[in-house]
Amino acid sequence: MRRLMVMTAMLSMLGTAAYADATKTSADAALKAADARAALADKAGAQWTSTVALLKDAHKAEAAGDFATAQSKAMKADAMAKLSITEAHEQASLWQASVIH
Amino acid sequence: MRRLLYAALGLALAVPAWAATRTNPAADLKAFQSYFHKKFPQVAPNDFVNGPYAMDASMRAQWNDIMQFPPFQFSIDNGKALFNAAFPDGHHYADCFANKGIGITQNYPQFDAKTGKIVTLELAINHCRAEHGQPPLDMSAGPMADIEAYMTSTSDGKIINVKIPNDPRALADYAAGEQYFYSRRGQLNFSCASCHVQGAGDHLRSDVLAPALGMTASFPIYRSTWGSTGTLVRRFIECNSQVRAVPSKPDSDAYSNLAYFLAYMNNGLPVAGPGERP
């Protein structure tokens, strides 16, 4: 779990500067990947509200022609969707450790 | 293809059977209640239905003042009027329930042997509406919470008695609710139990985390935060959102099963609803 938290913190520190050379093509690809992963998280009942919000912002930035922001947010959303799926998979067995006996 | 269908059918039958062999609600109930009695020896067993007010003297004093004019009274009054109003076909809500709907909420949620699903009071109210050609109500607040407030007021003080029949499907529903309760979710990686078992009695800023024991006994509740009366489903949705998990649908099996598990854990406690919370 600590690894998840460190990864989330690192992701949140990534700025859009890293994607200054983003193009419509690269932003679209990042959005497509993030949408697909978020759909998987949704199907697994593991979606985070923060992922949904990031994806919405990414699409909005893409529509406004801000491809650096769109790509940055899409990649963060993709990583968060991946973490949420990992969380659900882990909890499928880990929950039993918390049960009162 | 036929082999695949047989395999799927076998699995569908095997899962409830598997849950049935692994699940022992009576033992869970005993361990659950014993955990809270040991953790809070100063709290009288029946006082757990009062949630944070059983844990904090100053909050209890404020609550006693608030209850001079219970803020949920408007909901009870409106709920009574709605409950007694006739549907266009001339029938009433009372026609859909045992004992005409009076003094029965301590028995909910119930397992429906016909569908194999859990029926919460909210679902039962909406089923009743559907039977009489009416659209479903929002299950979280408004008229639903008011009708439930009135019905719950007629059960005030009655002993919670949720039954889990010896049916593999009922045990599977209970087990699913138990799993939901203890599973961490959302970006904050919290389970229901994180706050209401491990953190019960602790403070989140000025709020005291209510223990899971007794929690369902006071629903529906008037929450000052909401400024209105809401159902247990409304609280589930709020809890999910607070840990940044996308909530389930109000009428989802996930929430019905969770309500079934939680209410069963409160068996033996008195109904204390509708309630009031900060």
Side-chain angles (χ1 to χ4, degrees):
Chain A
M1 198 56 225
R2 189 175 292 171
R3 203 169 357 148
L4 283 181
M5 290 171 75
V6 171
M7 281 173 69
T8 307
M10 285 172 68
L11 277 168
S12 65
M13 284 189 285
L14 280 176
T16 53
Y19 305 100
D21 57 349
T23 61
K24 180 168 178 13
T25 310
S26 64
D28 280 349
L31 272 170
K32 197 176 169 188
D35 281 337
R37 186 100 66 186
L40 284 177
D42 208 33
K43 200 174 171 188
Q47 192 72 282
W48 293 352
T49 52
S50 32
T51 308
V52 175
L54 263 177
L55 263 180
K56 194 176 165 191
D57 288 350
H59 279 283
K60 205 183 276 181
E62 205 261 357
D66 183 355
F67 302 123
T69 302
Q71 185 167 332
S72 167
K73 288 188 183 289
M75 290 178 79
K76 280 185 203 167
D78 186 38
M80 286 169 73
K82 191 176 178 185
L83 290 173
S84 70
I85 293 167
T86 303
E87 178 185 57
H89 283 173
E90 285 181 355
Q91 287 300 310
S93 56
L94 278 180
W95 69 273
Q96 293 177 50
S98 306
V99 175
I100 298 170
H101 290 294
Chain B
M1 190 60 202
R2 188 177 290 175
R3 206 182 297 170
L4 195 65
L5 281 171
Y6 282 138
L9 182 64
L11 194 65
L13 293 173
V15 168
W18 173 80
T21 54
R22 290 190 73 253
T23 304
N24 187 341
D28 291 347
L29 173 66
K30 196 174 170 191
F32 194 89
Q33 297 199 350
S34 169
Y35 171 89
F36 285 101
H37 294 158
K38 280 183 193 150
K39 185 169 181 174
F40 301 104
Q42 75 283 11
V43 176
N46 282 357
D47 205 18
F48 278 97
V49 298
N50 295 317
Y53 305 128
M55 315 266 143
D56 187 290
S58 72
M59 284 183 79
R60 191 173 192 113
Q62 290 176 53
W63 176 53
N64 286 334
D65 287 343
I66 290 169
M67 291 299 281
Q68 297 295 315
F69 299 97
F72 48 74
Q73 190 58 49
F74 294 111
S75 288
I76 294 178
D77 295 343
N78 188 42
K80 185 176 183 180
L82 291 168
F83 185 85
N84 290 325
F87 295 124
D89 65 4
H91 286 89
H92 296 77
Y93 284 108
D95 300 330
C96 299
F97 293 96
N99 199 40
K100 298 284 179 194
I102 302 302
I104 58 161
T105 64
Q106 70 279 6
N107 303 322
Y108 279 87
Q110 295 178 345
F111 173 72
D112 181 353
K114 276 187 197 158
T115 62
K117 302 250 185 196
I118 300 305
V119 180
T120 61
L121 185 60
E122 294 98 344
L123 285 171
I125 289 168
N126 270 345
H127 289 170
C128 179
R129 292 179 61 81
E131 276 176 33
H132 298 288
Q134 296 303 295
L137 295 173
D138 171 1
M139 284 177 61
S140 60
M144 174 64 80
D146 292 350
I147 293 167
E148 201 177 65
Y150 167 64
M151 292 179 76
T152 302
S153 73
T154 68
S155 279
D156 197 21
K158 291 188 183 288
I159 301 302
I160 296 171
N161 184 27
V162 172
K163 291 193 168 68
I164 301 179
N166 190 20
D167 181 319
R169 297 169 302 166
L171 289 165
D173 291 341
Y174 166 85
E178 181 185 36
Q179 179 172 353
Y180 194 101
F181 181 76
Y182 288 109
S183 294
R184 291 173 179 269
R185 56 178 42 82
Q187 191 184 10
L188 300 192
N189 196 232
F190 271 43
S191 67
C192 308
S194 301
C195 289
H196 300 293
V197 176
Q198 289 96 345
D202 293 343
H203 280 80
L204 269 185
R205 296 187 177 170
S206 62
D207 286 334
V208 174
L209 290 166
L213 179 60
M215 187 169 274
T216 64
S218 51
F219 274 86
I221 55 169
Y222 179 95
R223 280 202 89 184
S224 302
T225 312
W226 296 338
S228 62
T229 304
T231 64
L232 189 58
V233 161
R234 183 174 181 179
R235 189 71 188 105
F236 289 161
I237 291 170
E238 187 180 41
C239 282
N240 280 161
S241 302
Q242 283 172 328
V243 301
R244 298 184 196 164
V246 170
S248 301
K249 291 202 167 73
D251 62 349
S252 63
D253 288 345
Y255 284 160
S256 299
N257 294 338
L258 176 60
Y260 192 44
F261 167 75
L262 272 175
Y264 182 79
M265 287 298 114
N266 292 332
N267 268 356
L269 294 176
V271 172
E276 186 281 334
R277 294 289 182 272

